[in-house]
Amino acid sequence: MTAINPLLQDWNTPYGLPPFDLVKAEHFVPAFEAALPAHLAEIDAIAAESAAPTFANTLAAFDASGRLNSRISLLFENLTASETSPALQAVEVELAPRLAAHRNAIYLHAGLFARIAALYARRAELDLDPEQLRLLERVHLDFVRAGASLPPASRARYSALTERLAALSTAFTQNVLADESGFSLALEDEAALAGLPEFLRASAAAAAQQCGLPAGSHVITLSPSLAEPFLTFSDRRDLREAVWRGRVARGAHDGVHDNRPVAAEIMALRQEQAQLHGYPTYADYQLVDRMAGKPEAVSALLGKVWEPAKKKAEDDRAALTEMARSLGQPTPIAAWDWRYLAEKVRQARYDLDDAELKPYFALENMIGAMFDCAQRLFGLSFVEQHGVALHHADARLWEVRNRDNALIGLFIGDNYARASKRSGAWMHIFRSQSGHNGGTLPVVINNNNFAKADATLLSFDDVRTLFHEFGHGLHGLLSQVKYERLAGTQVLQDYVELPSQIFENWAEEEVVLQRHARHYQSGAAMPPALLEKLKRARQFDQAWATIMYAGPALIDMALHSLPNGSKVDIAAFEAQQCELLGVPQDIGQRHYLSHFQHLFSGSDYAAGYYVYMWAEVLDADAYDAFIEAGDPFEQKIAERLRRYIYSSGNKQDPALAFRAFRGRDPKVEPMLAKRGLIA
Ligand SMILES: [Zn+2]
């Protein structure tokens, strides 16, 4: 075949974006077949350099290598997550072990590692600036963690193991997607729609349309933007139970999409990996590269919330049970009742109705709100660009400009759920910021899974998710570092949620809501009484939210703390842990192991689901700086926030960065207070 492959051409497109309209699934295999050897040739050349190793000819050269490969890889990762297809999924399966093999060829490259190790040994004498020293330390650790310092006899086994892990992670993700797109609950008549507010009926109708059903049909899928409000509002207990069970059972059906054996094999390989590195458990191996440092530090934090949250949930359960009785619903209540009854109690106690709030949280207005916050904090402006081809017609593109109007990056927002998109919300990049060759502008994408409608109306949780991902986006966009390995979100895993979670705070600020939370039809500001109710109801049901999150975090740590060589039956282990922890059956867990993608769709969050709470300690304490100043946009604090948190990437140790911002180490109390777990 002699046809031109757009992935291998110069991208003469606006901003050097990928040529989305030309790229097809079949381009990826031949493109990687050219880009991977080219990347390896660059690595060989660095290793074969006749001059003695220096920072410039080894570290800086390594950091600048592989650009063709990385631009293709990033595009591929984004397309398989945001806009996949059967053809792309087939390519993904074919490529997963080959890409892992390529990574191994680099990180197990004896010649290159010898040069890096030689520099690392002499790092104190090299007269490096702090960022150069940090790069040397980080890259050295990357190689060690990838197996470069293993004895040669173990290296082949290590490669085989990581390649198999990559294939298993791909299978795990695809199995979850298959179960999610395989489930749909048709709401056949008016009785099946009982209790659903207008916005949910509209979303269910839109979902039915996407499934190709005739007008007037309604469907609930397992997409959180449909399933969660359905669990909250549907008067039909039997249908709520069907949706709850559908969600819990993802990845746990016998047959080709069964994730239980996949997860068990992943666990066996991870234990072997830890063994080869000389750690007693996989959790120990993972925690070396985190701010927490040791599994015990994580257990101590989770221990501070688990029992107090369960204790607090008892009061809430009593109120919910009373509500169930008054509605003539059966008791004891079940997991598929909790959201529904909590909503009823919330309405009764705070006179607050989610359906009453939603008209004030139109997606378009909330996008305006997050841009406005970035403007007031950091002087950024966002200028939408039309007519540039992106990966999907619903995705939108903005130029991001600094106070002096200089272009600093590009922001893509892709907000709607569709069958071809992974569930959840996430940020990714198409291109990293770096200071090489005069500097590279970052291209950042935020993905959400809101139900598309003529006017998409968000719940307040959705608004927080929108702001959360935008916080990650700003971390990528504001990055100001020299070396790509240290840029943007490439920080320690239990630090990466700080910039995202702290940004959620501005979504709750009264001045922000007053300005932007306007009725999508009339444009009227949210009535002060409603705003007041929203504020008062904020801590309601926090025990439930804490348990839903902390249970899976504890089970993740327990699973990855099993001694090497333990055989794991995923379902039995989970049941036993739930018993041991006393996970309340009427609350349940946000994720069950058979579809827990944080743990098994890759290794970043393995023994790491706790990172959100770790970062919450940091963000609650950091945001308190603005509260203490009495101004959510206080400029001196905002300036420090930009400098030490959003722009500094992985340039310095996160503990030092936090101290530079806050003037002291973080305290845990603001997080506990925010969750209502201490007075
Ligand atoms: Zn996040």
Side-chain angles (χ1 to χ4, degrees), residues 49-60:
E49 170 73 57
S50 57
T54 63
F55 180 86
N57 73 18
T58 303
L59 265 302

PDB file of all heavy atoms in Angstrom, residues 49-60:
ATOM      1  N   GLU A  49      26.507   7.460  22.108  1.00  0.00           N
ATOM      2  CA  GLU A  49      27.309   8.689  22.121  1.00  0.00           C
ATOM      3  C   GLU A  49      28.716   8.398  22.649  1.00  0.00           C
ATOM      4  O   GLU A  49      28.863   7.795  23.726  1.00  0.00           O
ATOM      5  CB  GLU A  49      26.576   9.691  23.019  1.00  0.00           C
ATOM      6  CG  GLU A  49      27.316  10.948  23.381  1.00  0.00           C
ATOM      7  CD  GLU A  49      27.429  11.904  22.211  1.00  0.00           C
ATOM      8  OE1 GLU A  49      26.374  12.290  21.664  1.00  0.00           O
ATOM      9  OE2 GLU A  49      28.568  12.247  21.862  1.00  0.00           O
ATOM     10  N   SER A  50      29.754   8.820  21.896  1.00  0.00           N
ATOM     11  CA  SER A  50      31.115   8.465  22.316  1.00  0.00           C
ATOM     12  C   SER A  50      31.601   9.345  23.473  1.00  0.00           C
ATOM     13  O   SER A  50      32.410   8.911  24.287  1.00  0.00           O
ATOM     14  CB  SER A  50      32.068   8.558  21.127  1.00  0.00           C
ATOM     15  OG  SER A  50      31.991   9.874  20.594  1.00  0.00           O
ATOM     16  N   ALA A  51      31.095  10.579  23.550  1.00  0.00           N
ATOM     17  CA  ALA A  51      31.490  11.449  24.661  1.00  0.00           C
ATOM     18  C   ALA A  51      30.944  10.892  25.977  1.00  0.00           C
ATOM     19  O   ALA A  51      29.922  10.203  25.991  1.00  0.00           O
ATOM     20  CB  ALA A  51      30.946  12.853  24.427  1.00  0.00           C
ATOM     21  N   ALA A  52      31.648  11.199  27.062  1.00  0.00           N
ATOM     22  CA  ALA A  52      31.183  10.767  28.380  1.00  0.00           C
ATOM     23  C   ALA A  52      29.794  11.342  28.639  1.00  0.00           C
ATOM     24  O   ALA A  52      29.439  12.393  28.093  1.00  0.00           O
ATOM     25  CB  ALA A  52      32.162  11.249  29.450  1.00  0.00           C
ATOM     26  N   PRO A  53      28.981  10.647  29.452  1.00  0.00           N
ATOM     27  CA  PRO A  53      27.624  11.149  29.704  1.00  0.00           C
ATOM     28  C   PRO A  53      27.625  12.515  30.391  1.00  0.00           C
ATOM     29  O   PRO A  53      28.389  12.740  31.334  1.00  0.00           O
ATOM     30  CB  PRO A  53      27.003  10.087  30.614  1.00  0.00           C
ATOM     31  CG  PRO A  53      28.099   9.209  31.083  1.00  0.00           C
ATOM     32  CD  PRO A  53      29.235   9.350  30.130  1.00  0.00           C
ATOM     33  N   THR A  54      26.791  13.404  29.872  1.00  0.00           N
ATOM     34  CA  THR A  54      26.560  14.694  30.525  1.00  0.00           C
ATOM     35  C   THR A  54      25.053  14.860  30.651  1.00  0.00           C
ATOM     36  O   THR A  54      24.290  14.118  30.018  1.00  0.00           O
ATOM     37  CB  THR A  54      27.080  15.869  29.676  1.00  0.00           C
ATOM     38  OG1 THR A  54      26.335  15.880  28.445  1.00  0.00           O
ATOM     39  CG2 THR A  54      28.568  15.749  29.389  1.00  0.00           C
ATOM     40  N   PHE A  55      24.633  15.869  31.431  1.00  0.00           N
ATOM     41  CA  PHE A  55      23.206  16.133  31.533  1.00  0.00           C
ATOM     42  C   PHE A  55      22.630  16.408  30.141  1.00  0.00           C
ATOM     43  O   PHE A  55      21.588  15.867  29.769  1.00  0.00           O
ATOM     44  CB  PHE A  55      22.937  17.325  32.456  1.00  0.00           C
ATOM     45  CG  PHE A  55      21.470  17.617  32.583  1.00  0.00           C
ATOM     46  CD1 PHE A  55      20.701  16.962  33.529  1.00  0.00           C
ATOM     47  CD2 PHE A  55      20.843  18.523  31.726  1.00  0.00           C
ATOM     48  CE1 PHE A  55      19.333  17.189  33.635  1.00  0.00           C
ATOM     49  CE2 PHE A  55      19.476  18.754  31.817  1.00  0.00           C
ATOM     50  CZ  PHE A  55      18.729  18.088  32.781  1.00  0.00           C
ATOM     51  N   ALA A  56      23.324  17.218  29.350  1.00  0.00           N
ATOM     52  CA  ALA A  56      22.798  17.620  28.044  1.00  0.00           C
ATOM     53  C   ALA A  56      22.728  16.448  27.061  1.00  0.00           C
ATOM     54  O   ALA A  56      21.693  16.243  26.418  1.00  0.00           O
ATOM     55  CB  ALA A  56      23.649  18.750  27.458  1.00  0.00           C
ATOM     56  N   ASN A  57      23.829  15.683  26.965  1.00  0.00           N
ATOM     57  CA  ASN A  57      23.810  14.643  25.921  1.00  0.00           C
ATOM     58  C   ASN A  57      23.043  13.391  26.339  1.00  0.00           C
ATOM     59  O   ASN A  57      22.821  12.502  25.528  1.00  0.00           O
ATOM     60  CB  ASN A  57      25.239  14.314  25.438  1.00  0.00           C
ATOM     61  CG  ASN A  57      26.067  13.508  26.451  1.00  0.00           C
ATOM     62  OD1 ASN A  57      25.530  12.905  27.376  1.00  0.00           O
ATOM     63  ND2 ASN A  57      27.385  13.524  26.280  1.00  0.00           N
ATOM     64  N   THR A  58      22.618  13.317  27.596  1.00  0.00           N
ATOM     65  CA  THR A  58      21.874  12.130  28.030  1.00  0.00           C
ATOM     66  C   THR A  58      20.464  12.490  28.517  1.00  0.00           C
ATOM     67  O   THR A  58      19.473  12.101  27.900  1.00  0.00           O
ATOM     68  CB  THR A  58      22.650  11.379  29.141  1.00  0.00           C
ATOM     69  OG1 THR A  58      23.947  11.040  28.633  1.00  0.00           O
ATOM     70  CG2 THR A  58      21.916  10.112  29.552  1.00  0.00           C
ATOM     71  N   LEU A  59      20.367  13.257  29.598  1.00  0.00           N
ATOM     72  CA  LEU A  59      19.043  13.542  30.175  1.00  0.00           C
ATOM     73  C   LEU A  59      18.198  14.458  29.297  1.00  0.00           C
ATOM     74  O   LEU A  59      17.047  14.148  28.984  1.00  0.00           O
ATOM     75  CB  LEU A  59      19.212  14.168  31.570  1.00  0.00           C
ATOM     76  CG  LEU A  59      19.138  13.229  32.765  1.00  0.00           C
ATOM     77  CD1 LEU A  59      17.817  12.483  32.802  1.00  0.00           C
ATOM     78  CD2 LEU A  59      20.272  12.245  32.781  1.00  0.00           C
ATOM     79  N   ALA A  60      18.766  15.590  28.903  1.00  0.00           N
ATOM     80  CA  ALA A  60      17.996  16.525  28.077  1.00  0.00           C
ATOM     81  C   ALA A  60      17.670  15.880  26.735  1.00  0.00           C
ATOM     82  O   ALA A  60      16.559  16.026  26.216  1.00  0.00           O
ATOM     83  CB  ALA A  60      18.770  17.831  27.892  1.00  0.00           C
TER      84      ALA A  60
END
